[in-house]
Amino acid sequence: MLEKTFYKMMLSKSFPFPVKVTYWDGKSEVYGNGTPDIEIIFNEKIPMSDITRNASLALGEGYMDKKIEIKGDIQKLICGAYDSANSFMRSSKFRKFLPKQKHTEEQSEEDVQSHYDIGNDFYKLWLDPTLTYSCAYFEDDNKDDLEKAQIAKVHHILNKLHPHEGKTLLDIGCGWGTLMLTAAKEYGLKVTGVTLSEEQFKFVQKRIYDENLQDVAEVKLEDYRELGDQQWDYITSVGMFEHVGSENLSEYFHDIYRYLKQDGVALIHGITRQQGGATNAWINKYIFPGGYIPGLQEIIGDIVENDLQITDVEMLRRHYQRTLEIWDENFNNARDEVEKMMGERFTRMWDMYLQACAASFESGNIDIVQYLMTKGPSGKDLPMTRKYMLHK
């Protein structure tokens, strides 16, 4: 009885719209005024001690294990919880931060491989043909499909660098290589990509040979911290600093400084919280081991403390919301294939992850930011206005 009272207290004021809740004893209640289009079903009772200890972990695992079912739009439900002033999810009492995590080179390699080495065949099922696993850039939201928007994102990043043919670029965390190889083929740059994912390394290496780019492109299966004394004219890093950990952010930007030539330009693109840095126990355990979303002030502080000068900052929150919504649509269109490949529990987990992230961006709980910075006086070798950044 006590636990049901706790559930009612937790759920009755958590959403700005009506929600039907069916409990483990088969009884249902509607919280909020109106006819609900979302129902939460508790097939089993989750101990309130687990929820108060860490809500995201307890509820996320509950959904994975079918202790919880959700009928209706999961993204809408989670976004509503973030938006509701009285929401359980907004209560600081229940926002649990994880202990400091290891980010040694060995641990970083293990963390990256646990996520990105799930298998290229898995990612091919729901990413666009460029295999770009980061926020797209929708120049026309009504017309752009995901592939066009991902290609536009690559050009948006490279155009911001204002690159000159024949110069060099380092891509830290190069993924499946679309950005670095576009820079080589279309911008005339000599490029180096680094990754800790064996699957990505093999894929990019094959692309380099298949496209006869050996003279202008190389990929390294190596930790970015171990690149020696070499320097580059430009550096890009997309979706990378979320993996380095709070304790290593300053070192990350110090390495960007030391790898840049004087007056070099870097574009760093990553998830940021305007409200301050945070971790999520469920995502850390099942999706991104070692992940940490830094706060905006934290990132800005680390950039300037390492003698990098900020030239431009651009928020792309709505672009990532749209990207995630398309990914989840693609994922569910291939759901049967995913389930055959990975199993039902994994499939439920990944669907929840994509929708929860879309909700976090929609609600403003997290943001995606592009930081343009220089080694030397800000914007010295860049045009006077931002017009040059437009996709050509």
Side-chain angles (χ1 to χ4, degrees), residues 16 25 156 212 216 239 248 256 283 312 319 330 365 383 385-386:
D25 58 7
H156 192 54
N212 198 29
V216 292
N248 287 335
I256 288 170
I283 288 178
D312 187 81
H319 293 265
N330 293 346
N365 184 51
T385 73
R386 302 176 83 247

Side-chain angles (χ1 to χ4, degrees), residues 11-19 31 40 76-78 80-81 84 87:
L11 295 166
S12 62
K13 296 181 179 180
S14 279
F15 307 101
F17 44 73
V19 173
Y31 301 115
I40 304 171
K76 178 181 176 181
L77 183 73
I78 296 174
S84 176
S87 170

Side-chain angles (χ1 to χ4, degrees), residues 149-348:
Q150 290 290 14
I151 292 170
K153 185 271 299 296
V154 167
H155 287 292
H156 192 54
I157 288 172
L158 293 172
N159 286 341
K160 283 186 175 184
L161 299 174
H162 194 56
H164 298 284
E165 188 173 346
K167 291 198 171 185
T168 57
L169 178 140
L170 169 66
D171 190 18
I172 299 175
C174 64
W176 285 276
T178 297
L179 188 151
M180 60 176 282
L181 298 184
T182 299
K185 292 185 292 185
E186 298 186 33
Y187 291 77
L189 300 180
K190 296 179 180 179
V191 301
T192 301
V194 292
T195 179
L196 288 174
S197 164
E198 291 186 8
E199 291 274 337
Q200 291 178 343
F201 169 75
K202 292 174 183 176
F203 186 90
V204 177
Q205 194 172 50
K206 185 176 186 301
R207 284 191 66 184
I208 289 171
Y209 280 94
D210 287 350
E211 299 179 38
N212 198 29
L213 297 171
Q214 299 93 317
D215 292 340
V216 292
E218 63 174 345
V219 61
K220 297 175 180 287
L221 184 63
E222 194 168 352
D223 192 288
Y224 73 93
R225 290 169 283 193
E226 297 298 324
L227 294 175
D229 297 328
Q230 188 174 352
Q231 292 186 317
W232 288 263
D233 298 293
Y234 312 108
I235 293 177
T236 53
S237 187
V238 178
M240 171 64 192
F241 66 57
E242 303 95 313
H243 296 289
V244 306
S246 176
E247 67 275 19
N248 287 335
L249 272 172
S250 182
E251 179 188 3
Y252 170 79
F253 285 106
H254 174 72
D255 285 335
I256 288 170
Y257 177 87
R258 71 185 179 95
Y259 293 143
L260 270 181
K261 293 180 181 179
Q262 186 62 33
D263 298 322
V265 185
L267 189 289
I268 310 303
H269 167 122
I271 301 173
T272 307
R273 290 189 82 247
Q274 295 200 31
Q275 304 91 330
T279 58
N280 178 285
W282 180 70
I283 288 178
N284 269 266
K285 183 173 181 179
Y286 291 101
I287 308 293
F288 283 111
Y292 171 76
I293 305 301
L296 183 62
Q297 288 181 310
E298 184 179 9
I299 287 285
I300 297 295
D302 285 327
I303 291 172
V304 298
E305 285 173 10
N306 283 286
D307 295 324
L308 292 161
Q309 296 208 11
I310 297 171
T311 296
D312 187 81
V313 176
E314 182 178 14
M315 275 63 175
L316 298 173
R317 178 183 60 80
R318 293 174 61 200
H319 293 265
Y320 215 164
Q321 177 193 337
R322 180 71 182 125
T323 303
L324 282 153
E325 289 168 349
I326 296 173
W327 282 345
D328 191 62
E329 182 181 355
N330 293 346
F331 182 88
N332 278 289
N333 286 339
R335 193 179 183 104
D336 290 345
E337 294 175 77
V338 174
E339 198 163 310
K340 287 177 185 176
M341 183 185 296
M342 310 300 292
E344 183 182 15
R345 188 171 190 260
F346 177 95
T347 303
R348 289 173 66 86

